[in-house]
Amino acid sequence: QVQLVESGGGSVQAGGSLRLSCAVYGHTYSPSFMGWFRQAPGKEREGVASIYTDSGSGYYADSVKGRFTISQDMAKNTLYLQMNSLEPEDTAIYYCAASYGPLALASRRLAVGSYEYWGQGTQVTVAS
């Protein structure tokens, strides 16, 4: 059974930085692609960033381009999200997700339905 465990959330002032981590357990090989999503109160879950695990190719939502960076450490089976220049609008629960299926193309990389496995989420709060 695949298990994703996020860590690194917390509270920060606007303009600050946080790095989220997501450890992958329970599978003999790496996911095809992984992603970070977030969900603010009263809003739908939205895709933030995605990475193809073989190539390291990243894909970002417009709202975070230039501020967030997705990366991975294959040896540690860990996914990261470096978040800089944080804004109050970034406040949400952040989830990591993994897929072992065929690679999703373009905007499907940020679609909830493209992923089979999800972490429990970690809270990020950005104060103004």
Side-chain angles (χ1 to χ4, degrees):
Q1 179 71 17
V2 175
Q3 186 178 12
L4 307 179
V5 180
E6 301 104 332
S7 60
S11 297
V12 66
Q13 293 291 116
S17 298
L18 283 173
R19 188 176 83 154
L20 305 183
S21 301
C22 172
V24 183
Y25 300 99
H27 208 290
T28 55
Y29 55 91
S30 298
S32 305
F33 59 103
M34 298 190 69
W36 286 100
F37 290 73
R38 65 187 181 187
Q39 188 165 18
K43 295 188 176 181
E44 292 188 353
R45 192 170 298 189
E46 63 172 353
V48 172
S50 173
I51 189 168
Y52 289 153
T53 58
D54 276 352
S55 66
S57 168
Y59 186 87
Y60 298 91
D62 289 342
S63 58
V64 305
K65 260 179 207 174
R67 300 189 299 123
F68 290 12
T69 302
I70 190 170
S71 64
Q72 60 186 353
D73 185 332
M74 301 289 286
K76 296 181 179 179
N77 289 327
T78 301
L79 179 73
Y80 302 101
L81 185 68
Q82 178 66 43
M83 305 186 293
N84 298 329
S85 302
L86 283 161
E87 304 166 353
E89 294 72 24
D90 296 317
T91 295
I93 298 175
Y94 283 71
Y95 300 88
C96 72
S99 174
Y100 289 83
L103 293 180
L105 299 178
S107 62
R108 293 299 302 169
R109 295 176 70 170
L110 299 181
V112 170
S114 295
Y115 297 83
E116 303 96 69
Y117 300 98
W118 293 84
Q120 81 288 351
T122 185
Q123 177 70 47
V124 170
T125 302
V126 184
S128 57

